[in-house]
Amino acid sequence: VFINCSLRRFSSEVEKKTQRSFSLMLDKRFYRERKSFLCIDGSKIIPSEQVNDDYCDCEDGSDEPGTSACPRGRFYCTNLGYRPHYIPSSRVNDGICDCCDASDEYNSHAHCPNTCWNLGQRERAYVEGQMRTLDEGLRLKQQLIEEGVLLWREKQAQLGELQQVSEDLQLKLEEHRRKKHEAERLKEQALKALEARDGGEGHFFFNLLYQLKGILNQNIFKIFLKMRALGLLLTLCFGFLSDLQKKLAIDYGANREFLFLNILTPFPPDLFHSKHIFLVWGTWSGTPKNQYGQMVYENGEPCWQGGSRSATVTLTCGTETALRSVKEPSKCQYIMDFQTPVACQPVLKQQGIHSEL
Amino acid sequence: MTAVLVLWLVACLTGTWAVDRGNFKTCDQSSFCKRQRALKPGESPYRALLETMELTNTRLTLQLINDNNKVRLLLELYRLQGNITRVKINELKPLKPRYEVPDVLVREPPTEPLSLLSQDENGVVLSLGAEAQRVIVSARPFRLDIVEGRDVLMSLNSRGLLAFEHLRMHEDEKEDGMWEETFKSHTDSKPNGPSAISLDFSLPGVEHVYGIPEHADTLRLKTTDNGDPYRLYNLDVFQYELYNPMALYGAVPVMLAHSAQRTTGIFWLNAAETWVDISSNTAGKTVFGKMLDYVQGSSETPQTDVRWISESGIIDVFLMLGPTAKDVFAQYASLTGTQSFPPLTAVGYHQCRWNYNDQEDVKAVDAGFDEHDIPYDFIWLDIEHTDGKRYFTWDPHKFASPKEMLQGIMDKKRKMVAIVDPHIKVDNNYKIHNEIRSRGYYIKNKDGGDYEGWCWPGSAGYPDFTREDMRAWWASMFAYDQYEGTMENLYTWNDMNEPSVFNGPEVTMHKDAMHGAWEHRDLHNIYGFYVQMATAEGLVQRSGGVERPFVLTRAFFAGSQRYGAVWTGDNAAEWDHLKISIPMCLSLGLVGISFCGADVGGFFKSPSAELLVRWYQTGAYQPFFRAHAHLDTPRREPWLFGPENTALIREAVRQRYTLLPYWYQQFYHAHRTGEPIMRPLWVEYPQDPATFALDDEFLIGRDLLVHPVTEEGSRGVTAYLPGKDEVWFDVHTFQKHNGAQNLYIPVTMSSIPVFQRGGSIIPRKLRVRRSSSCMEHDPYTLFVALNPQRTAEGELYEDDGHTFNYEKKEFLHRRLSFVNNALSSVNLAPDATFTTQSWIERIVLLGARKPSRVSMKTADGPENQLEFDYDSSTSVLTLRKPGMNAGADWTVNFE
């Protein structure tokens, strides 16, 4: 980044401003006291008096780093004690204090105090707090990752158990199906026998066969009842199984650190003005660098006058796992801020350390 | 066979069978309209009783008699200053007084002498002033013709459709609908019986008529023979349809008639429900048919016939006789006043939504504009900001500290608008309601109790804004100590003031509701006008008469231009709604209401990114520039459609801000003259028939021509550039085009086809900042576009931008002119004083030659040589930093 922008006006018209410009650092590459100035984009050479003379000569705005003359220009706030940054040239002398060192309002009616030191203090305190949160958060996250490993195993075990149970049930069901088949075959034979002796052997035998048929029927019915019970159990078991499989199919992060969140139904009903609103898990929607920084819920409960409810949840680093805010900027489209230690990332720490403060 | 097909097509296209009128009446369902429309032309029962004629210096009176029932009418005829003739007709002896619309005329119009030229038993001829104009009063049947030289300008009752339903006793007649009528579940008790009035006007030589807003229709009014008349009845129409004559939120009963020879106007001063029929002897003819007539020499003179029908009141009509459009604007302005001069900030960009949810939301949207470097001046709060739809209050949770919020906005030099609607929640714990009720200020129902209807707050009362004492009280409620939580950067929006009554007939008030002695029927269309009047007065008063108000209204009437801005109501995010915004605002401008805009993006539904961008590009070049969206739509702040669309919207808004000096000068001009700001091309090119029906492009003032892109997926537009001897410069590329041609302009998503007229000078401020106030002291760039004669002319106006001090001559007004190779600035208002910090930073000459030397001379300084840059490929000459103060006298010489 060029430091060129720390230069202010150095037009000869105003002595004060000239002094100001020289009191600040100059980048000799661009603003040497020469007779001419080359626009940084190389498009034009202008006399050096025309640098910062409140008229835009360079297409790229590079000749007016200290005035509002160029539409594409930028002004550099040095902001000693705080963080330096650029503002659009259009905010120079517009009567609104933008740089905390008040340098953008050198020729306006705005009375801008220098607030850099206070801001810096506050920022430093904030960053320290953040660092503490981050440390604690990372510690908690490690715990959660470890717990996650156990939880994952537990869930896997559950899955295995459920699969075993369902297999057993299926086997049993199969066995009963066979039994029922057998019983039905017996009954069939008995009936055939009954029909073959039609009118011949007399009542006693007929009655015997008739009773046998009754017994066989009862037997079949018993087997049928057992099968129904088994079927119900199996349905239940499949339900549990598919729920669990659905749960386990979700991406819980590189270390399965999000496993402890009940991602499929994470939000208590009282969030939505005590109405229960169903939201359906969609996907992670963070940036490529921080894929797990945001989640989207879609196809929720239908909204009044069409559409369905949806939510975008941003995850931020914190020492507790809690929903910090819910907003509804458009009807039935929620924006939530969710705080949790698992959103803490070591990379934040590096950024913190590298802060220029 | 082909002819049959064409006929069938025409019948389909012009038929009204496709229009779903839903909750709103057709003429057939409105008993007076049906009765009046059933009258046949050529059977007028009215006869002028010439022996009753009295002529004083300023007034002619004459009795008319209806030969069928012997009821007598009194005709009054006045010649008004400025080429206007006023005709009033009332019952000679009505059973009780009939309503005459007060408060619309800015004063009792000054008269001019009338003189009698000749008289016999068939009629009377009077002289109308100096311009060889005469009025011929024919006795049997009664008829008025206004004649200039050998031309008939206008005839009244020429088709014999004058009708005056005299007030009568109930026993007299009991025809259906006269004493009671029912529409849907609503019964109108009509205790006064029938009271309609009607009159026809013939306009010889006229094929084009305009005006009578508000309708979602083309600029050029259509004939109504095959359908309903145009209806004027202020209504809250849910999801209105386009291209039909149905009534909308406002009504201005003014029509303009134009031909290549002349422009005239008719102002029908009546505030009751009104229907306007238009027919034409050439309307059915195709271009080919007209050509055939011309070749065969069989052409009759084209003529348009117009007929006005109103439910009650009197006939009080102002015939504005031109002869030019600008004369008609001046004539109408002399009657009803001009566009109020808004604070400069109101001409910037407005960001609205139903609703910004809370203070935090407001702050975030405000910050979003800065983050994306898009300027804006106003953020708006719709009804949800109130405590349970109790206007003048704030939601205690969402807007707990409104002053803090307003201060935050003020710190950015921006403003806010909060809505105040005229329906007042019936709630004994609500101060405003208690006050209005105890003072007896509510409109009464037919039985004498306070009228109650349903609106946003549930059960609501409607203050009687027709009462002056009520309006004064209402105005006092805007004082900072009354309207808590307000500051000087909070302005007001009056919505639902038709008035909208959710459970009323046609979503409005029962006609038998009472305003003192008058029925709501008599004055319905003027209710909204009074609401805005009282609100604007409140904003003026709270500042001790110092600050200019800004009030937006949805309902309006003739004269509403005096109180603020108007928008086209609840439109939709559809391409056709974008297109119709042009003729709708053009029609309003023609009848004095210049400060017009449509909801950018469309109110209902959700726009595609393309539609939203095109709407910003169009809205940036319309007088009132506000984005707005329905509660149920997804958010659509300009940065929510990806960086490319954000950049396109930013660019459109920035173009608006660079042109603010020009816009402001246009508002000043409109305020002084009554001329529209956004105007149809025919106003400036009155003899070019190619311009007469154009409504997909328009002019801002005289000098900027805009043809917005309003088609989806458009790759090009064809703009008509008027003026045989004119040239036009593309304001983006500076390319020169000849006038009187259809120019095809290829477009991309970033294109906004805008042209500057050769011969004009337009001041801009190119340092676009966060808001208009931030740009106050910025320097100007003058864009001088030379015409083929190598001359150009323009103006520069500046004042403090927000007070009434301009009325005390605190402004600067310069004439800029380029002639004989010299550009100079002279004072147009030597008796005015205003000191500006702004200076001229750049002068750009379009269509220039390369000079050898450019020098500048100010009144008190030495001659300075100026640096310049000449681009021979575009013929653009740019003068670098001439540096003179914008208020100074100076001359720049080009050698």
Side-chain angles (χ1 to χ4, degrees):
Chain A
V1 177
F2 310 123
I3 313 172
N4 58 42
C5 302
S6 52
L7 184 90
R8 301 290 178 275
R9 299 163 64 94
F10 76 93
S11 95
S12 55
E13 311 156 20
V14 185
E15 198 58 35
K16 184 176 71 177
K17 282 173 207 151
T18 315
Q19 282 169 358
R20 177 199 286 269
S21 69
F22 286 112
S23 71
L24 295 164
M25 287 171 66
L26 300 181
D27 187 316
K28 298 277 188 317
R29 280 180 301 170
F30 299 106
Y31 298 102
R32 213 170 297 174
E33 282 193 85
R34 277 194 190 160
K35 289 231 167 80
S36 62
F37 170 82
L38 174 67
C39 300
I40 290 173
D41 66 0
S43 61
K44 207 170 173 184
I45 297 176
I46 57 168
S48 55
E49 306 88 78
Q50 292 186 5
V51 172
N52 271 334
D53 71 338
D54 207 13
Y55 184 89
C56 191
D57 292 286
C58 298
E59 193 67 8
D60 65 356
S62 58
D63 63 316
E64 297 292 321
T67 76
S68 62
C70 288
R72 269 178 275 284
R74 295 196 302 169
F75 180 89
Y76 186 75
C77 305
T78 311
N79 291 352
L80 274 178
Y82 187 55
R83 189 188 299 135
H85 71 110
Y86 287 98
I87 58 170
S89 288
S90 64
R91 294 180 195 173
V92 174
N93 291 327
D94 66 347
I96 299 169
C97 311
D98 289 287
C99 306
C100 63
D101 63 3
S103 56
D104 60 317
E105 295 299 317
Y106 59 84
N107 188 19
S108 84
H109 301 296
H111 300 289
C112 301
N114 188 324
T115 57
C116 290
W117 181 247
N118 284 342
L119 283 173
Q121 285 280 73
R122 218 181 300 160
E123 176 90 354
R124 276 184 289 273
Y126 175 75
V127 169
E128 273 164 31
Q130 288 291 94
M131 286 298 109
R132 275 198 299 277
T133 304
L134 186 58
D135 282 341
E136 176 65 6
L138 285 173
R139 196 181 61 74
L140 290 169
K141 180 177 178 178
Q142 194 51 42
Q143 268 180 24
L144 286 167
I145 289 174
E146 281 158 23
E147 281 168 27
V149 173
L150 296 179
L151 200 58
W152 181 254
R153 276 191 209 137
E154 199 182 294
K155 297 271 175 194
Q156 288 294 340
Q158 265 179 28
L159 184 70
E161 270 168 37
L162 275 170
Q163 274 165 341
Q164 188 57 51
V165 169
S166 79
E167 267 170 41
D168 289 354
L169 283 170
Q170 274 171 311
L171 281 176
K172 277 220 171 105
L173 195 63
E174 194 47 42
E175 193 190 313
H176 280 80
R177 194 168 287 139
R178 223 167 352 97
K179 276 186 186 164
K180 187 169 164 239
H181 191 71
E182 187 65 17
E184 277 166 345
R185 203 175 52 83
L186 270 174
K187 189 182 114 182
E188 202 88 345
Q189 280 176 348
L191 283 175
K192 273 199 186 127
L194 210 61
E195 280 161 19
R197 309 277 165 109
D198 196 15
E201 313 295 326
H203 267 286
F204 172 75
F205 190 66
F206 183 81
N207 276 347
L208 199 68
L209 275 174
Y210 191 78
Q211 276 172 20
L212 182 65
K213 190 185 139 197
I215 291 165
L216 285 171
N217 263 345
Q218 264 180 25
N219 194 23
I220 290 170
F221 186 63
K222 269 183 197 158
I223 298 171
F224 168 75
L225 282 181
K226 271 195 178 167
M227 278 175 73
R228 210 167 70 169
L230 281 169
L232 273 171
L233 278 174
L234 198 61
T235 312
L236 269 174
C237 191
F238 277 147
F240 287 135
L241 200 57
S242 95
D243 275 1
L244 190 59
Q245 278 167 336
K246 218 190 275 174
K247 235 175 226 180
L248 292 178
I250 292 173
D251 177 0
Y252 288 103
N255 299 308
R256 305 214 174 88
E257 62 270 31
F258 292 100
L259 191 62
F260 82 102
L261 286 180
N262 192 2
I263 283 183
L264 286 174
T265 47
F267 307 113
D270 59 339
L271 274 182
F272 303 98
H273 324 291
S274 58
K275 277 176 271 175
H276 199 113
I277 287 172
F278 296 102
L279 290 166
V280 180
W281 164 251
T283 178
W284 294 101
S285 61
T287 56
K289 273 190 183 165
N290 181 17
Q291 193 197 337
Y292 302 102
Q294 200 179 63
M295 52 217 294
V296 171
Y297 287 82
E298 292 157 327
N299 300 321
E301 198 162 285
C303 186
W304 183 70
Q305 290 218 334
S308 63
R309 288 173 164 81
S310 65
T312 305
V313 184
T314 306
L315 293 99
T316 50
C317 171
T319 53
E320 288 179 340
T321 292
L323 201 57
R324 277 175 36 171
S325 72
V326 181
K327 288 182 202 155
E328 192 183 352
S330 314
K331 203 78 176 280
C332 301
Q333 294 182 359
Y334 305 93
I335 289 183
M336 307 186 189
D337 186 4
F338 196 68
Q339 207 177 50
T340 172
V342 290
C344 299
Q345 293 191 42
V347 65
L348 289 171
K349 195 160 180 184
Q350 284 167 17
Q351 280 172 4
I353 292 162
H354 287 217
S355 158
E356 288 175 42
L357 290 167
Chain B
M1 185 61 203
T2 326
V4 174
L5 199 67
V6 167
L7 271 176
W8 178 80
L9 267 174
V10 167
C12 287
L13 292 174
T14 55
T16 55
W17 47 268
V19 179
D20 170 22
R21 286 174 183 269
N23 288 324
F24 305 101
K25 287 183 184 177
T26 60
C27 177
D28 257 3
Q29 291 165 322
S30 187
S31 76
F32 77 92
C33 186
K34 187 179 180 183
R35 281 197 304 277
Q36 296 296 314
R37 231 188 173 200
L39 297 181
K40 297 275 173 296
E43 296 171 7
S44 181
Y46 286 99
R47 180 160 55 87
L49 302 172
L50 295 179
E51 64 278 13
T52 64
M53 185 177 86
E54 285 175 36
L55 183 65
T56 66
N57 191 23
T58 59
R59 178 172 98 140
L60 169 103
T61 61
L62 184 65
Q63 290 178 22
L64 309 178
I65 188 162
N66 181 335
D67 279 329
N68 293 343
N69 58 17
K70 304 296 172 208
V71 174
R72 288 191 183 202
L73 305 179
L74 180 70
L75 170 101
E76 295 169 75
L77 191 145
Y78 302 85
R79 174 65 180 178
L80 305 184
Q81 282 177 16
N83 203 13
I84 307 168
T85 295
R86 180 182 193 177
V87 178
K88 272 174 97 166
I89 303 175
N90 197 351
E91 289 181 54
L92 182 66
K93 287 179 184 154
L95 268 183
K96 56 198 267 189
R98 298 179 66 117
Y99 188 72
E100 297 188 32
V101 183
D103 300 312
V104 166
L105 300 180
V106 286
R107 55 178 174 172
E108 191 56 37
T111 54
E112 275 181 352
L114 281 167
S115 57
L116 187 66
L117 289 179
S118 65
Q119 180 176 10
D120 61 20
E121 71 280 10
N122 297 319
V124 177
V125 180
L126 297 159
S127 162
L128 291 176
E131 298 175 41
Q133 271 182 19
R134 285 154 292 143
V135 56
I136 302 166
V137 184
S138 308
R140 186 190 292 263
F142 163 70
R143 166 182 174 136
L144 286 178
D145 292 277
I146 296 180
V147 178
E148 184 176 296
R150 296 174 57 191
D151 299 326
V152 179
L153 303 183
M154 210 181 275
S155 306
L156 280 64
N157 200 33
S158 47
R159 286 190 299 155
L161 296 169
L162 167 63
F164 216 104
E165 291 180 339
H166 62 281
L167 299 179
R168 62 202 78 180
M169 302 306 286
H170 196 168
E171 302 78 48
D172 290 359
E173 278 175 84
K174 292 204 172 164
E175 195 186 310
D176 235 19
M178 278 189 167
W179 293 92
E180 185 178 281
E181 70 181 285
T182 301
F183 177 66
K184 299 213 145 181
S185 59
H186 298 282
T187 298
D188 177 3
S189 66
K190 301 182 85 168
N192 296 321
S195 58
I197 54 167
S198 160
L199 182 59
D200 66 272
F201 301 79
S202 292
L203 302 158
V206 169
E207 285 183 274
H208 292 83
V209 286
Y210 311 93
I212 52 168
E214 178 174 53
H215 300 99
D217 207 353
T218 50
L219 171 67
R220 180 192 182 183
L221 298 172
K222 296 174 181 134
T223 57
T224 58
D225 301 321
N226 299 317
D228 257 11
Y230 283 98
R231 188 182 189 201
L232 293 172
Y233 191 57
N234 294 357
L235 291 175
D236 177 4
V237 182
F238 179 74
Q239 297 189 341
Y240 60 80
E241 292 169 37
L242 307 184
Y243 303 109
N244 74 44
M246 283 172 72
L248 286 179
Y249 312 93
V252 184
V254 175
M255 181 185 281
L256 269 64
H258 178 72
S259 71
Q261 285 73 43
R262 196 173 190 107
T263 309
T264 57
I266 297 169
F267 171 27
W268 176 266
L269 180 50
N270 187 297
E273 180 185 343
T274 296
W275 299 78
V276 186
D277 254 323
I278 298 166
S279 59
S280 156
N281 61 354
T282 55
K285 287 186 186 167
T286 58
V287 175
F288 179 75
K290 285 184 199 171
M291 264 169 56
L292 209 64
D293 279 348
Y294 180 77
V295 173
Q296 294 170 346
S298 69
S299 166
E300 56 181 325
T301 315
Q303 177 169 312
T304 296
D305 294 302
V306 182
R307 181 187 185 197
W308 299 71
I309 304 167
S310 292
E311 186 175 11
S312 68
I314 64 161
I315 293 173
D316 188 1
V317 62
F318 297 81
L319 311 172
M320 303 177 288
L321 299 171
T324 69
K326 288 182 186 176
D327 292 326
V328 175
F329 301 141
Q331 285 152 7
Y332 183 61
S334 76
L335 298 170
T336 66
T338 60
Q339 177 64 55
S340 65
F341 191 27
L344 170 60
T345 177
V347 188
Y349 171 63
H350 299 256
Q351 181 66 34
C352 186
R353 174 177 177 82
W354 176 21
N355 215 100
Y356 286 121
N357 297 332
D358 49 31
Q359 288 179 214
E360 204 187 329
D361 198 359
V362 168
K363 207 171 174 177
V365 172
D366 178 74
F369 276 91
D370 287 343
E371 187 187 332
H372 298 91
D373 200 16
I374 301 170
Y376 89 95
D377 269 72
F378 273 89
I379 186 161
W380 291 53
L381 295 180
D382 208 323
I383 52 175
E384 311 297 329
H385 85 276
T386 59
D387 180 9
K389 317 295 185 308
R390 293 170 186 86
Y391 305 105
F392 300 100
T393 70
W394 302 86
D395 183 297
H397 306 292
K398 299 175 194 163
F399 294 91
S401 45
K403 279 196 177 174
E404 201 179 291
M405 169 180 65
L406 287 164
Q407 186 60 53
I409 291 165
M410 191 180 278
D411 290 345
K412 299 271 191 69
K413 299 195 172 192
R414 289 172 176 149
K415 318 283 189 286
M416 177 174 258
V417 166
I419 198 164
V420 174
D421 287 351
H423 49 257
I424 302 298
K425 185 176 176 72
V426 175
D427 169 5
N428 292 336
N429 296 314
Y430 177 28
K431 182 186 88 176
I432 298 282
H433 164 70
N434 288 337
E435 283 264 321
I436 296 174
R437 191 181 47 183
S438 64
R439 290 166 186 260
Y441 285 162
Y442 277 127
I443 295 171
K444 303 290 184 282
N445 60 36
K446 65 177 164 48
D447 304 317
D450 285 348
Y451 180 91
E452 277 184 33
W454 278 84
C455 211
W456 299 124
S459 191
Y462 293 76
D464 188 354
F465 282 90
T466 66
R467 290 175 64 157
E468 201 175 348
D469 51 358
M470 158 61 209
R471 294 199 300 274
W473 175 83
W474 178 267
S476 74
M477 287 298 103
F478 288 87
Y480 297 119
D481 58 349
Q482 291 290 334
Y483 188 172
E484 281 170 35
T486 63
M487 297 187 3
E488 62 268 33
N489 67 335
L490 182 75
Y491 296 79
T492 311
W493 169 19
N494 293 147
D495 196 358
M496 315 297 280
N497 52 341
E498 293 75 22
S500 178
V501 181
F502 291 162
N503 59 341
E506 303 190 86
V507 203
T508 191
M509 189 165 282
H510 293 76
K511 284 178 171 172
D512 51 14
M514 298 301 292
H515 300 251
W518 301 111
E519 279 191 292
H520 186 70
R521 176 186 337 274
D522 298 316
L523 51 82
H524 172 85
N525 282 350
I526 203 177
Y527 185 77
F529 161 98
Y530 278 129
V531 175
Q532 193 192 18
M533 174 198 263
T535 304
E537 184 54 33
L539 296 194
V540 174
Q541 276 178 19
R542 71 172 186 182
S543 74
V546 174
E547 298 286 331
R548 288 177 233 166
F550 170 69
V551 182
L552 178 73
T553 180
R554 191 169 72 180
F556 50 83
F557 190 66
S560 285
Q561 68 269 19
R562 307 199 295 264
Y563 306 112
V566 155
W567 95 108
T568 61
D570 299 344
N571 62 358
E574 292 169 3
W575 288 91
D576 274 348
H577 274 270
L578 168 59
K579 283 189 197 98
I580 205 91
S581 72
I582 301 172
M584 287 180 81
C585 279
L586 285 174
S587 298
L588 276 161
L590 288 175
V591 300
I593 300 177
S594 265
F595 206 178
C596 168
D599 285 346
V600 169
F603 179 66
F604 292 112
K605 303 185 183 173
S606 191
S608 65
E610 185 190 355
L611 175 58
L612 185 68
V613 167
R614 292 302 190 200
W615 214 316
Y616 269 97
Q617 293 175 337
T618 304
Y621 287 90
Q622 291 176 348
F624 177 55
F625 182 25
R626 182 187 74 151
H628 187 33
H630 190 278
L631 184 68
D632 290 334
T633 61
R635 295 290 278 240
R636 58 167 95 138
E637 284 70 49
W639 48 88
L640 295 176
F641 295 80
E644 276 181 34
N645 291 310
T646 305
L648 291 168
I649 293 171
R650 177 191 300 122
E651 175 55 23
V653 179
R654 289 175 66 95
Q655 287 185 27
R656 169 65 163 222
Y657 276 76
T658 63
L659 273 170
L660 283 179
Y662 182 70
W663 276 107
Y664 193 53
Q665 177 197 313
Q666 296 309 311
F667 271 98
Y668 180 71
H669 187 74
H671 177 59
R672 286 287 179 227
T673 64
E675 286 175 23
I677 294 174
M678 177 177 165
R679 59 184 72 158
L681 269 63
W682 66 261
V683 168
E684 294 296 333
Y685 300 89
Q687 288 169 359
D688 181 357
T691 65
F692 291 179
L694 285 182
D695 60 7
D696 56 355
E697 61 183 78
F698 55 89
L699 294 165
I700 302 167
R702 291 170 62 201
D703 300 334
L704 278 184
L705 185 150
V706 187
H707 188 115
V709 181
T710 57
E711 297 277 350
E712 187 171 14
S714 181
R715 286 154 177 269
V717 296
T718 302
Y720 180 70
L721 301 182
K724 202 160 73 261
D725 308 312
E726 304 243 22
V727 291
W728 294 87
F729 293 88
D730 184 313
V731 298
H732 310 295
T733 65
F734 302 138
Q735 202 186 338
K736 185 162 80 172
H737 303 281
N738 288 325
Q741 66 154 328
N742 282 304
L743 180 70
Y744 180 77
I745 307 142
V747 299
T748 64
M749 270 317 289
S750 65
S751 308
I752 316 178
V754 180
F755 301 87
Q756 183 178 344
R757 190 176 57 82
S760 67
I761 301 176
I762 291 182
R764 292 188 187 225
K765 285 187 173 178
L766 297 186
R767 303 184 184 189
V768 176
R769 303 190 191 245
R770 263 180 287 220
S771 71
S772 67
S773 307
C774 292
M775 297 163 65
E776 185 184 353
H777 304 302
D778 277 346
Y780 292 99
T781 294
L782 304 178
F783 285 84
V784 181
L786 298 180
N787 63 15
Q789 294 76 44
R790 301 188 47 73
T791 66
E793 203 173 70
E795 289 174 22
L796 195 154
Y797 175 85
E798 197 183 313
D799 60 20
D800 66 19
H802 58 97
T803 72
F804 283 106
N805 291 350
Y806 71 92
E807 288 178 348
K808 296 182 229 155
K809 298 274 176 194
E810 287 179 27
F811 61 85
L812 73 83
H813 197 186
R814 314 285 310 175
R815 173 171 312 289
L816 307 166
S817 51
F818 185 98
V819 62
N820 296 330
N821 283 322
L823 175 66
S824 57
S825 169
V826 297
N827 199 346
L828 263 177
D831 54 342
T833 51
F834 184 74
T835 318
T836 179
Q837 290 179 38
S838 297
W839 48 286
I840 312 293
E841 75 169 329
R842 193 182 290 103
I843 296 172
V844 182
L845 260 79
L846 311 181
R849 295 181 194 138
K850 185 173 184 176
S852 55
R853 184 174 179 275
V854 181
S855 61
M856 182 189 67
K857 180 94 181 71
T858 52
D860 44 0
E863 193 182 83
N864 277 340
Q865 202 158 327
L866 294 181
E867 280 181 55
F868 61 86
D869 180 60
Y870 184 74
D871 182 345
S872 56
S873 66
T874 53
S875 302
V876 174
L877 176 69
T878 306
L879 307 189
R880 186 187 190 281
K881 211 180 173 189
M884 55 284 208
N885 184 280
D889 290 331
W890 51 264
T891 303
V892 174
N893 286 299
F894 301 79
E895 289 161 35

